[in-house]
Amino acid sequence: MWVLPGMNRFVTLTWQDWSASATVFKKGNPEKSEGKRGHLPLKTEDSYQRLDPHLGEYLQGLEQPRTEWDLFDMSLQVARVGDTDLQRDKCLAQVSHIRNKVGKKLNSPDPYSIIEHTNEIVFQELGYCGNGEDYYHPFNSLMDRVLERRTGIPITLSILYREVVGGLGLPTWGVGMPGH
């Protein structure tokens, strides 16, 4: 089971034998669903229409080969499940602004220079950091809130960092950290 925290509802996804079952619950009352419950085979696009459209986009994205996943866009899709008013363009503009700040400091496309200047801008100048005081707060997992509050958990901060440096020409790969 996977729980996606949102501002006013929760979505539980259960995966088994290449199919998913999803239920959307109203916040504060996990016993009462919004009636958007269903068992869906992963390979049937029509089945996604029965769910929240943003959750459907996310599930369709999971069908792509992992090498084609756009983790930043997928993180925005997760956040839109809980906040349908999320402004995707605003989030992309915020990342573009960060990338431009880093780009102005670069003298060369050297990977070490990109990392050094990205660290300086993201963590020192803009103050992005992990939320050590309230690690499990749902906003730490929602990319729009991470951009707004400049605090998150390692995975959301890593996805943001990857989006910034990827746009500067530095390829990155995620590394699983078992036991984290």
Side-chain angles (χ1 to χ4, degrees):
M1 183 184 344
W2 185 19
V3 179
L4 306 174
M7 293 202 23
N8 53 12
R9 55 197 169 149
F10 290 82
V11 178
T12 61
L13 296 176
T14 307
W15 300 87
Q16 184 176 9
D17 299 325
W18 295 100
S19 63
S21 192
T23 308
V24 180
F25 294 99
K26 291 183 179 178
K27 186 175 180 183
N29 189 356
E31 300 300 318
K32 184 173 183 180
S33 78
E34 293 180 347
K36 296 181 180 181
R37 183 180 195 142
H39 180 76
L40 12 141
L42 288 178
K43 300 296 180 188
T44 306
E45 287 185 31
D46 293 344
S47 61
Y48 295 133
Q49 301 307 317
R50 287 183 263 152
L51 293 172
D52 181 295
H54 304 301
L55 178 60
E57 286 179 39
Y58 176 77
L59 291 172
Q60 284 177 322
L62 290 177
E63 291 183 2
Q64 303 299 317
R66 286 185 182 182
T67 56
E68 295 179 21
W69 286 1
D70 179 339
L71 295 179
F72 187 79
D73 192 55
M74 291 173 87
S75 70
L76 291 177
Q77 290 170 1
V78 168
R80 279 189 356 204
V81 171
D83 181 5
T84 56
D85 295 329
L86 182 143
Q87 297 177 14
R88 184 177 178 275
D89 292 338
K90 179 181 174 185
C91 295
L92 294 173
Q94 288 174 285
V95 172
S96 182
H97 176 72
I98 296 168
R99 190 181 299 127
N100 290 338
K101 287 178 85 80
V102 175
K104 287 179 183 176
K105 292 190 170 247
L106 291 177
N107 296 325
S108 73
D110 172 59
Y112 294 106
S113 180
I114 293 172
I115 292 168
E116 176 185 353
H117 292 298
T118 301
N119 289 347
E120 178 185 334
I121 297 294
V122 171
F123 301 118
Q124 294 173 3
E125 185 178 320
L126 297 175
Y128 281 87
C129 62
N131 190 341
E133 293 178 18
D134 195 4
Y135 184 90
Y136 296 101
H137 192 288
F139 286 178
N140 295 331
S141 299
L142 303 172
M143 187 57 72
D144 61 322
R145 300 301 179 162
V146 170
L147 289 166
E148 177 186 313
R149 299 167 67 231
R150 298 186 181 181
T151 187
I153 56 176
I155 188 68
T156 50
L157 293 171
S158 296
I159 291 170
L160 172 60
Y161 194 94
R162 183 174 191 249
E163 186 69 13
V164 171
V165 299
L168 295 168
L170 181 63
T172 58
W173 297 268
V175 178
M177 303 298 282
H180 166 65

